[in-house]
Amino acid sequence: MNNLTEYQNSGKRVGLLSILSLLMLGTISPVVAAEVQMSPNSKLIDRQNIAQLPIPKEVIKAVGGDLASIILSDDRFTILAAILQTTGLLEALKEGDFTIFAPTDEAFAKLPQEILEAILQSKDLSKITDILKHHVIPGKVTATDLKAGEVTTLEGNSITVGTDNNQILVEDATVIDSDIPASNGVIHVIDKVMVLPE
């Protein structure tokens, strides 16, 4: 996960940031953004590595697969899948045991303006890479294994886990679907993108 391939294609960066900026400014819906990313002419992702049709989450839970395959197959994560592939993190999710707090497309659409500006002003994708790694912790940690308190992410900073009305909270995000099993980890779906500490 830490041995990331250096990102060299500025065209992909501009395309990805353009979609992110439209999402965050509210001028494009997550559904439209997903269709743009998944179009056959899209340069953001390799069509051969994307499932042709989304698989219902119930089927995913039953069938399983590695973390990357599950993210690619779940239609809630089209934005996440595209960003993971663009930053080189998708391949890393095929090895090792990880727990991912995965933001939905709607979660990316809620990103605050200042986060958008920070991403657009960066000269590379390191900011986005750090944000994504801030959503991953080592090992398979199920919902019942999550303990209230702080846990260190792959990015290096800690996130706070808690509960409210029997719901699991991770920072200010709520886990809206938990314990999606993978051969090399587990996915918990969250409704917000967690920002890096200042």
Side-chain angles (χ1 to χ4, degrees), residues 65-99:
D66 61 35
L67 290 165
S69 299
I70 291 174
I71 289 172
L72 288 171
S73 300
D74 194 318
D75 60 356
R76 295 173 292 179
F77 304 134
T78 55
I79 304 293
L80 177 62
I83 299 172
L84 282 168
Q85 183 153 327
T86 302
T87 56
L89 293 176
L90 192 62
E91 284 299 314
L93 289 178
K94 295 181 178 181
E95 301 176 4
D97 288 340
F98 303 109
T99 296

Side-chain angles (χ1 to χ4, degrees), residues 122-178:
S122 64
K123 295 182 180 179
D124 54 37
L125 290 180
S126 61
K127 183 74 173 178
I128 300 176
T129 299
D130 286 344
I131 290 173
L132 293 177
K133 289 170 73 175
H134 191 60
H135 290 72
V136 182
I137 60 177
K140 295 182 180 182
V141 184
T142 64
T144 54
D145 294 331
L146 281 171
K147 306 295 182 189
E150 293 191 344
V151 59
T152 303
T153 69
L154 290 185
E155 182 272 330
N157 281 295
S158 295
I159 53 176
T160 302
V161 177
T163 57
D164 183 36
N165 293 327
N166 294 322
Q167 287 188 309
I168 300 171
L169 303 178
V170 187
E171 294 292 307
D172 61 345
T174 301
V175 175
I176 57 176
D177 190 9
S178 62

Side-chain angles (χ1 to χ4, degrees), residues 96-112:
D97 288 340
F98 303 109
T99 296
I100 302 176
F101 297 101
T104 62
D105 291 348
E106 289 77 11
F108 278 100
K110 295 176 186 175
L111 276 172

